[in-house]
Amino acid sequence: MRPSKSVLAAIGCAAILSACATTPGVSSTAPVAFDAARLSEHIRVLSADDFQGRGIATPAEDKVIAYLSDQFARAGFQPGGENGGWTQTVTLNRFTASSTTARLKVGDWTRPLVPGEDIVISTRAPGAHVMLTEADLVFVGYGITAPERQWDDFKDVDVRGKILVVLVNDADFEEPALNTFGGRAMTYYGRWTYKYEEAARRGAAGVIIVHEDAPASYGWTTVRNSWSGPQFDIVRANASAERVPVEAWLQRSLAVELFQRSGLDFEALKVQARSRGFRPVALTGASFSTMFDVATSTVETDNFLARLPGTTRPDETVLYTGHWDHIGVGTPDANGDAIFNGAIDNASGIAGMIELARAWTAGPRPERSIVMIGFTAEESGLLGSEYYAANPIYPLEKTVGGFNMDSANVYGRTTGFRVVGFGQSDFDDRMATVVQAQGRVVEPDGNPASGGYFRSDHFPLAKRGVPMAYAASGGDFRDEPIVARTAARADYTARRYHQADDEWSADWDYSGQIEDLNVYLAVGRELANSRVWPQWKPGSEFAPARAVSDAVRQ
């Protein structure tokens, strides 16, 4: 349910006054009067029904690229892509599963599984058909092998050809005091992508992730919407060795029943799985069967790149990134709406990038180059950013760092500026100076257990050593009606994220996003007009990758 018009109207009353309370300045920290009306119009256009949810490799993609090319050209940026154009071609494999059947069996008990309701099943492995008949099931806890943490959920058990049943997140989520994986903040080992990758390395036939709302940080509706349609992957040299044939999610209630009928206690095994001494547990007498057709095709989609060349060090690059894609057209909701408009996620971030481009060209030309990238296929697993990070147009060793914008604040000014991945790099301190001047405070991510640092487009760059900031408004709202603003923000997370109701509203308040944009601009100006190279903090797992190229930046 969307907030009522009266609630949104109350929120919007102060929007224009708050948004335009600043004036342009020349200094790096002087606030800029970003235009709330322009932000709103970009979001409205990009999330309109005729953009069909911005699905990749669809006619909607052409509309997105055309709009961005026009807007960034008007803002004064140059094409920053391949061959003097606006884009970088990203070749993907698309996998569409159909005629899916699945069932669980324990002894004489058989439970047919309804795709989308009980289970979602997909694949990113080559082949025209998947058929597993009564494959053995084995519970492998969190499915993690982490030698540096003296952790191995598999021990010496051979899981080749088996279906692995795994838990969401990592072992510290349920019991942070263990501090085996750094407390409740999710590590990459907790991400679903890792679990599928590790299973492939071990030759498993498939993975069933048991979905639970809290450790996943999203509900079943998000799972269904994200995994029921076509799945994409970058073109791999040896996909058969890197992907399992079956990638699935199962409702928790069915997992509990499956374990019970196998003579096992799901909750007791979850507790055991938090220990380094855990060993895989076979679900004796239980099996999983599935069959589905797979239509595989190669598609081309595009990253979008715009550039403002630097005056004295154009080979050094400051990045602004965000993804232009969304889910496209999917399963109709209760209102019959099948278009996943993606207004907040992430037309709002792209709108911010366009207006940042205007701010950059309105001031003095920077010494270093500014590059803005609208990544494709974020919703398919960060594939556009993964492709760029593996095939950078601007060398990563000379990429200063950057800011990732994914889902902006459209509900008003807040007391805090929340940094996802707080403590990773000195971007925390650089941003704090500007944030404090705004009367706000820098805050760590309020829900580090959700693994937000691994779920957006900065991550493929960060894991290759490029310092990247991922931060935006957080904390309490500063302007009345505070209760209504808080309710509207919570409503988005609970009912509209990755659903058809993520639609534009004329009554949104952009004053919070504008404060955030001023942070990105001010810190970007400081970096673009200096010889400074942001640093990872001691202990960051990303520092070693950066250190390899330290000599290039001397």
Side-chain angles (χ1 to χ4, degrees), residues 78-157:
Q78 300 175 8
E82 298 169 321
N83 304 316
W86 292 102
T87 60
Q88 177 189 40
T89 300
V90 178
T91 303
L92 302 175
N93 283 328
R94 175 170 54 194
F95 306 91
T96 304
S98 62
S99 304
T100 302
T101 62
R103 73 173 187 272
L104 293 169
K105 183 179 180 182
V106 184
D108 295 333
W109 175 77
T110 300
R111 176 63 154 81
L113 301 173
V114 180
E117 298 302 321
D118 301 327
I119 195 169
V120 293
I121 303 175
S122 59
T123 190
R124 289 176 292 169
H129 190 73
V130 172
M131 183 171 68
L132 295 176
T133 303
E134 298 190 2
D136 292 340
L137 293 160
V138 57
F139 175 62
V140 294
Y142 290 93
I144 295 171
T145 301
E148 76 282 5
R149 298 175 187 270
Q150 299 81 52
W151 191 278
D152 179 14
D153 280 329
F154 295 89
K155 303 302 188 286
D156 56 353
V157 176

Side-chain angles (χ1 to χ4, degrees), residues 162-234:
K162 300 185 188 316
I163 296 291
L164 310 185
V165 181
V166 303
L167 301 170
V168 177
N169 217 303
D170 56 44
D172 287 2
F173 178 83
E174 303 284 357
E175 196 173 345
L178 294 172
N179 202 36
T180 312
F181 288 86
R184 210 156 191 257
M186 185 191 288
T187 64
Y188 187 59
Y189 295 115
R191 287 286 289 144
W192 58 269
T193 49
Y194 168 81
K195 297 174 193 295
Y196 291 149
E197 291 162 2
E198 183 62 25
R201 285 189 283 269
R202 292 180 175 271
V207 179
I208 296 176
I209 299 175
V210 179
H211 177 261
E212 298 184 271
D213 287 6
S217 80
Y218 41 73
W220 182 257
T221 300
T222 298
V223 174
R224 182 185 64 210
N225 291 342
S226 299
W227 277 275
S228 293
Q231 301 300 299
F232 295 85
D233 196 10
I234 60 174

Side-chain angles (χ1 to χ4, degrees), residues 152-460:
D152 179 14
D153 280 329
F154 295 89
K155 303 302 188 286
D156 56 353
V157 176
D158 185 355
V159 296
R160 286 176 294 181
K162 300 185 188 316
I163 296 291
L164 310 185
V165 181
V166 303
L167 301 170
V168 177
N169 217 303
D170 56 44
D172 287 2
F173 178 83
E174 303 284 357
E175 196 173 345
L178 294 172
N179 202 36
T180 312
F181 288 86
R184 210 156 191 257
M186 185 191 288
T187 64
Y188 187 59
Y189 295 115
R191 287 286 289 144
W192 58 269
T193 49
Y194 168 81
K195 297 174 193 295
Y196 291 149
E197 291 162 2
E198 183 62 25
R201 285 189 283 269
R202 292 180 175 271
V207 179
I208 296 176
I209 299 175
V210 179
H211 177 261
E212 298 184 271
D213 287 6
S217 80
Y218 41 73
W220 182 257
T221 300
T222 298
V223 174
R224 182 185 64 210
N225 291 342
S226 299
W227 277 275
S228 293
Q231 301 300 299
F232 295 85
D233 196 10
I234 60 174
V235 175
R236 298 177 183 271
N238 191 11
S240 295
E242 298 181 57
R243 295 302 187 195
V244 290
V246 174
E247 299 179 346
W249 291 72
L250 182 71
Q251 290 269 33
R252 180 188 184 279
S253 59
L254 285 169
V256 171
E257 182 176 8
L258 170 66
F259 277 57
Q260 184 179 38
R261 290 183 179 275
S262 302
L264 301 170
D265 185 322
F266 178 74
E267 288 299 328
L269 283 173
K270 279 185 66 178
V271 174
Q272 292 179 31
R274 300 172 202 164
S275 167
R276 284 190 173 93
F278 170 83
R279 291 184 60 84
V281 178
L283 278 66
T284 304
S287 66
F288 174 74
S289 300
T290 187
M291 183 170 59
F292 53 92
D293 297 324
V294 184
T296 305
S297 58
T298 300
V299 300
E300 288 189 347
T301 180
D302 291 294
N303 288 328
F304 177 89
L305 296 95
R307 183 172 185 253
L308 183 66
T311 55
T312 59
R313 292 186 297 283
D315 61 326
E316 299 175 0
T317 301
V318 176
L319 289 180
Y320 291 90
T321 67
H323 69 96
W324 63 255
D325 70 305
H326 197 54
I327 295 172
V329 179
T331 304
D333 63 11
N335 299 318
D337 189 355
I339 298 175
F340 289 72
N341 303 80
I344 292 178
D345 184 16
N346 183 37
S348 65
I350 295 297
M353 288 171 59
I354 295 170
E355 292 310 299
L356 275 168
R358 291 182 183 277
W360 274 104
T361 56
R365 182 69 64 90
E367 296 170 14
R368 287 167 159 165
S369 296
I370 308 301
V371 172
M372 307 222 174
I373 310 179
F375 288 119
T376 185
E378 189 269 358
E379 301 290 6
S380 302
L382 315 183
L383 298 182
S385 52
E386 177 67 26
Y387 185 88
Y388 177 84
N391 303 276
I393 292 178
Y394 305 99
L396 299 188
E397 61 269 20
K398 284 296 189 79
T399 298
V400 179
F403 308 83
N404 185 56
M405 291 172 279
D406 191 351
S407 301
N409 167 25
V410 295
Y411 303 113
R413 301 189 305 156
T414 61
T415 58
F417 185 73
R418 188 158 290 165
V419 179
V420 181
F422 181 82
Q424 287 281 2
S425 77
D426 62 19
F427 265 109
D428 299 352
D429 309 308
R430 298 178 189 283
M431 293 186 295
T433 301
V434 185
V435 169
Q436 290 164 5
Q438 295 174 334
R440 297 194 289 169
V441 296
V442 166
E443 301 177 350
D445 180 8
N447 184 22
S450 70
Y453 199 74
F454 314 108
R455 291 171 55 184
S456 197
D457 282 317
H458 62 284
F459 179 61

Side-chain angles (χ1 to χ4, degrees), residues 58-67 302:
T58 69
E61 176 167 345
D62 295 336
K63 293 173 68 72
V64 173
I65 298 301
Y67 184 79
D302 291 294

